[in-house]
Amino acid sequence: MEKDEERLLALAGDKSKAYRHDSKRTFRPATVEGTPDVVYAIDTEDQKALLDFIALRKGSAYKIDERSTFGPYTPLRTGEIRILELYADNVNNSLKGELHVVSVEFEYPEKGNGWKRYTNHAVSIEAEKLMYYTALSYVWGPPLFDARFYLRGGHEIQITRGLEGALKHLRREDESVYLWVDQICINQPDSKEKEQQIPLMGSIYSHATNTLIWLGDDEHGTAQSAFSTLDTIHSRLDLCENQIGPADFEHLHIPSPTANEWHDIKRLFHRPWFFRLWTIQELMLSLNTYAKYGDAVAAWPDFAAWCSVLEYTGIQRWLESDNKSLRHSELDLTTHFTLGCGIVNELEKERYYLASFIHKSSILSVLVATRHAQASEPKDKVYGILGIASHHITPSYAPDVSVRQVYTEACIDAASEMFSLLSCVDHDAPLRPSWVPDWSSPRVTESLGYATKSHNLYCAGLIKKFVENGEATHISPSPGHAWFRLDNNLNTMTLRGKLVDTMASVGPAAALTSLDIDIPEENNSILVAYANIANQYQTYPTGEAIYDAFWKTLVANKDASGNSHAPQDYSEVLSLVLDSSTGKQPSLLGQTYSPRRTKGFFTLSTLQSRKPALTLDDLRRAFRAAAQNRCFAVTGKNYFGLVPRGTRVGDRIFILNGGPVPFVVREAEGGFVLVGECYIHGIMRGELIDQRMDWKEVTLV
């Protein structure tokens, strides 16, 4: 009995240390006693649960893989990881330390009142003690392992310069710090161990005493300036409810648009950490997080708040707009460049979802949300998000398991969202299987049919119901709208649908979707090219004017928010820009002119005044969202459309039974290859669907 009490006291540490939260949120890496900002006392019930767990693990016959030990790496049992003890030393000396094997399986039990203590440590089974540690979230950088780390026992391992810089910032001169660092704590040449460790990522980061996001060394000496300026902007604009433009900066006492501070902020938000895949999961799973850039450091809630202010005041859009001129070329098919602050804002929404709901997000929604992120190993586009997604996937880095097999497995896991899945196909050329998106490539178009909100606008494969006056009141799905079948090899998918049209004419891809009003005749060439195609037609199948069908097609008949159909205000503004670009009036059949346009009161200079300028900005964003990297096209039945950039004359238009948007498909041996989703004006509300529709089985290969 006395021995058990001693063990309880050893586990508990100093019982005078109650929970303490440092309001300044000063970052310190974990030591043997934890961190100064968060310290917990462990009550007797939780201490007993710890002892029971240790006893169970010591008494269980856990099997250890009999693979030979590689240097300092001994085999790990189920639920075990290694923690790096980074020895104290002078900043200029070599990096040294040792590895400790610990378990991250333990979690404190739920109490009778539904409360449970947050598990912010690992457990050393051998030493029978808690192990506090800091989890490091960082970017490896180029695969050049030209820095050295010396482990106890005379073992030397090679690490990247990026990790070396982080460890030198974390090392203390007075005592060891304890870290989880993937590059050292996982035996990287051992693929089997990596497969075993990936499922533990959720526990590794959620059980960490704290997590440090290492943004890298401050090579230009601008980190403190960027953090300080962001803090100032937040304090000045935190309660602001209006959109802020460069003209407002001076009277709000924030740096002028040409000040160096904005370049410092852009440099910060260009850091590679924001665009890497694994870092997303690491942030999402961590609870006590800090961001560090050189010597500048901030608690993550503060950093996220800085980014949020940039978004809701409109400063983020200004930064990204200014940034695009530096990044974009007509030969580049990448979408408009997003700064790291925009990515932080999206991640915070996902973090809120993860914290608010019991169930994890679907694997498809996480794959879509992280598609922009980069991974040097293509399989990691799936494996790197398993800790935050609902799935049934077992990682495999075996060479006989291809990347496409991994992506196919992920898609099968997402099969309940089939229509959304097919809308994720966005390739330069079809791959095999063609219905499986290439998750390793960032999307270069905005999806038409993925988002749930688009289902209120588009219902091409659904049946209309009418009231007596002939207006559609609501849409009901046709029977079996989610039906599909996979072959035994998981290569082909069969769905019910209807081939309704053929591509007759395909214009160039819209790499740039500007609606310029300064030199429209020179800078709106894609708009003129599309108008020249539309000008070859006298009537439209729905009976509406050619011009009306044209402008609605250019924005996929939705506004910039994607929540509503395109407003009529777009028509007059686009008509003015189009005529100024072509030098004709009218440019297309069916163009009509308001009295103010006829009398010369509505000109390009008018579009710089407040309300018309807002309409033009909204129109530009709607045009970019719909047409960026798509092609304007005309079908054999004379419908206008926006189609994937790889579409060819002769490709078919396919409507899925129950699907919101049509798809372009191409005949191939054994069926059809999926080219991608499309917008065809005049068939997006189920106009071609009726109760007598003879649905056919169509196979995608």
Side-chain angles (χ1 to χ4, degrees):
M1 185 67 182
E2 290 180 1
K3 185 176 181 181
D4 281 348
E5 289 178 354
E6 290 174 1
R7 294 172 69 199
L8 287 172
L9 288 171
L11 279 170
D14 183 356
K15 298 196 71 173
S16 66
K17 293 182 180 178
Y19 170 82
R20 182 172 74 251
H21 178 82
D22 186 348
S23 61
K24 294 182 179 180
R25 299 297 302 275
T26 303
F27 171 74
R28 294 287 186 277
T31 66
V32 69
E33 294 187 350
T35 61
D37 59 335
V38 177
V39 182
Y40 288 92
I42 306 173
D43 65 28
T44 304
E45 184 179 349
D46 286 337
Q47 293 169 24
K48 185 177 184 306
L50 267 168
L51 288 176
D52 289 345
F53 172 78
I54 292 171
L56 178 64
R57 288 302 302 267
K58 279 198 165 184
S60 298
Y62 281 89
K63 291 184 179 180
I64 299 179
D65 194 334
E66 296 301 328
R67 296 186 305 277
S68 60
T69 298
F70 177 82
Y73 297 105
T74 56
L76 298 171
R77 298 188 295 182
T78 302
E80 288 184 339
I81 66 170
R82 302 181 188 92
I83 295 296
L84 172 66
E85 179 184 352
L86 178 60
Y87 293 157
D89 210 333
N90 183 280
V91 67
N92 296 318
N93 290 339
S94 300
L95 293 166
K96 300 176 183 178
E98 65 177 292
L99 294 171
H100 301 273
V101 174
V102 298
S103 172
V104 288
E105 280 193 318
F106 175 78
E107 286 197 357
Y108 289 99
E110 189 172 304
K111 303 296 178 70
N113 58 6
W115 179 85
K116 63 184 292 187
R117 180 193 184 281
Y118 159 48
T119 307
N120 65 335
H121 56 76
V123 179
S124 171
I125 305 300
E126 181 181 359
E128 298 188 11
K129 68 176 184 179
L130 308 185
M131 287 286 286
Y132 297 101
Y133 64 96
T134 294
L136 187 63
S137 177
Y138 69 108
V139 173
W140 281 35
L144 300 174
F145 299 87
D146 52 356
R148 292 183 176 87
F149 192 99
Y150 298 93
L151 285 167
R152 182 181 179 183
H155 301 290
E156 176 186 320
I157 60 175
Q158 304 294 117
I159 62 173
T160 62
R161 290 291 179 185
L163 176 56
E164 179 189 46
L167 294 178
K168 286 189 173 181
H169 273 266
L170 286 165
R171 182 169 56 181
R172 295 179 58 164
E173 294 188 359
D174 56 342
E175 61 181 321
S176 294
V177 296
Y178 294 80
L179 311 169
W180 186 85
V181 184
D182 60 351
Q183 206 175 126
I184 296 176
C185 296
I186 297 176
N187 183 7
Q188 293 297 328
D190 189 342
S191 295
K192 289 294 183 183
E193 181 171 300
K194 287 166 69 176
E195 292 168 7
Q196 176 212 36
Q197 293 284 285
I198 285 174
L200 298 178
M201 290 298 171
S203 297
I204 290 171
Y205 280 90
S206 63
H207 290 182
T209 311
N210 58 17
T211 296
L212 179 68
I213 293 169
W214 172 248
L215 297 175
D217 287 309
D218 182 16
E219 304 95 339
H220 302 279
T222 58
Q224 293 287 3
S225 168
F227 277 45
S228 175
T229 304
L230 287 169
D231 190 41
T232 298
I233 293 169
H234 176 265
S235 64
R236 299 269 164 80
L237 304 181
D238 186 26
L239 302 178
C240 179
E241 297 180 355
N242 300 321
Q243 292 286 289
I244 303 299
D248 303 310
F249 290 177
E250 184 176 355
H251 76 266
L252 291 170
H253 304 291
I254 59 178
S256 70
T258 58
N260 288 333
E261 286 87 343
W262 295 111
H263 294 286
D264 299 340
I265 289 172
K266 287 180 188 177
R267 182 172 283 117
L268 162 65
F269 288 128
H270 274 299
R271 301 302 300 181
W273 183 91
F274 297 104
F275 309 100
R276 298 299 293 176
L277 182 81
W278 282 101
T279 57
I280 294 172
Q281 176 175 259
E282 293 159 4
L283 169 65
M284 301 276 279
L285 294 169
S286 300
L287 296 178
N288 184 25
T289 310
Y290 297 82
K292 195 173 192 318
Y293 177 20
D295 291 326
V297 64
W300 183 259
D302 296 334
F303 192 88
W306 298 344
C307 296
S308 178
V309 165
L310 296 181
E311 180 183 36
Y312 68 70
T313 59
I315 293 177
Q316 176 186 318
R317 192 191 307 170
W318 169 70
L319 285 168
E320 291 178 346
S321 175
D322 185 51
N323 194 59
K324 275 181 279 184
S325 64
L326 304 174
R327 284 274 173 164
H328 195 85
S329 73
E330 292 194 31
L331 299 176
D332 183 13
L333 279 178
T334 56
T335 52
H336 54 284
F337 189 79
T338 300
L339 286 171
C341 53
I343 292 171
V344 169
N345 288 322
E346 291 303 313
L347 290 178
E348 282 301 289
K349 295 170 189 174
E350 292 293 326
R351 271 165 59 90
Y352 176 80
Y353 179 92
L354 195 65
S356 302
F357 296 92
I358 298 174
H359 301 292
K360 294 179 180 179
S361 300
S362 71
I363 191 167
L364 180 61
S365 66
V366 180
L367 284 168
V368 169
T370 60
R371 193 162 181 177
H372 70 277
Q374 304 161 358
S376 54
E377 165 56 70
K379 290 182 181 180
D380 286 344
K381 289 292 291 188
V382 173
Y383 297 158
I385 52 95
L386 295 184
I388 54 176
S390 174
H391 67 90
H392 303 89
I393 295 171
T394 301
S396 175
Y397 289 97
D400 59 340
V401 177
S402 71
V403 173
R404 291 300 287 172
Q405 284 176 296
V406 174
Y407 293 175
T408 300
E409 184 181 10
C411 291
I412 293 170
D413 228 45
S416 61
E417 303 174 82
M418 185 54 61
F419 297 138
S420 294
L421 171 65
L422 296 180
S423 284
C424 293
V425 172
D426 183 45
H427 308 151
D428 291 329
L431 304 173
R432 296 297 182 95
S434 65
W435 50 273
V436 175
D438 180 9
W439 300 115
S440 67
S441 297
R443 185 169 193 129
V444 300
T445 62
E446 285 198 27
S447 178
L448 298 167
Y450 173 77
T452 304
K453 64 183 180 181
S454 68
H455 299 180
N456 297 323
L457 304 178
Y458 308 139
C459 37
L462 301 177
I463 301 171
K464 279 185 166 183
K465 286 192 174 181
F466 297 89
V467 291
E468 292 182 0
N469 64 5
E471 292 184 358
T473 56
H474 63 279
I475 309 295
S476 66
S478 50
H481 66 280
W483 181 89
F484 68 92
R485 181 179 67 243
L486 294 171
D487 73 345
N488 292 334
N489 295 323
L490 307 179
N491 289 323
T492 67
M493 173 185 291
T494 301
L495 307 105
R496 290 195 179 105
K498 186 75 173 178
L499 296 166
V500 297
D501 212 335
T502 304
M503 298 312 307
S505 175
V506 181
L512 288 174
T513 52
S514 63
L515 294 175
D516 184 63
I517 61 174
D518 295 323
I519 316 176
E521 63 277 7
E522 293 183 13
N523 296 332
N524 295 330
S525 58
I526 199 70
L527 178 65
V528 174
Y530 289 172
N532 289 338
I533 296 172
N535 220 2
Q536 300 173 35
Y537 300 87
Q538 306 297 311
T539 60
Y540 200 73
T542 62
E544 59 193 311
I546 289 293
Y547 173 71
D548 287 337
F550 176 74
W551 77 259
K552 290 177 182 177
T553 298
L554 293 187
V555 295
N557 198 20
K558 61 181 179 179
D559 66 6
S561 73
N563 294 317
S564 304
H565 287 297
Q568 194 61 33
D569 288 351
Y570 285 4
S571 175
E572 185 178 28
V573 173
L574 185 65
S575 176
L576 174 60
V577 176
L578 178 62
D579 288 351
S580 301
S581 303
T582 63
K584 302 175 184 177
Q585 188 174 330
S587 299
L588 289 173
L589 288 174
Q591 265 181 279
T592 58
Y593 299 99
S594 64
R596 65 174 180 170
R597 172 81 186 275
T598 304
K599 295 177 181 178
F601 297 142
F602 190 72
T603 64
L604 291 180
S605 60
T606 309
L607 297 180
Q608 298 177 359
S609 58
R610 194 159 187 83
K611 188 174 185 304
L614 291 174
T615 302
L616 174 61
D617 180 64
D618 205 62
L619 171 60
R620 282 170 167 164
R621 289 189 289 127
F623 182 34
R624 183 187 308 122
Q628 183 91 30
N629 294 319
R630 289 193 171 98
C631 306
F632 182 82
V634 184
T635 73
K637 296 179 181 178
N638 295 348
Y639 286 97
F640 295 164
L642 292 173
V643 299
R645 59 194 178 280
T647 303
R648 302 173 186 169
V649 171
D651 287 346
R652 309 291 295 277
I653 305 299
F654 177 48
I655 293 180
L656 281 168
N657 182 9
V661 298
F663 291 87
V664 175
V665 296
R666 181 175 303 146
E667 289 191 57
E669 183 178 352
F672 294 84
V673 294
L674 179 64
V675 180
E677 61 177 357
C678 63
Y679 174 89
I680 306 296
H681 186 71
I683 73 169
M684 302 299 292
R685 298 290 293 171
E687 291 89 342
L688 301 185
I689 310 302
D690 60 45
Q691 295 282 5
R692 299 179 299 279
M693 174 68 72
D694 182 21
W695 297 105
K696 302 290 187 181
E697 290 190 3
V698 175
T699 298
L700 301 178
V701 297

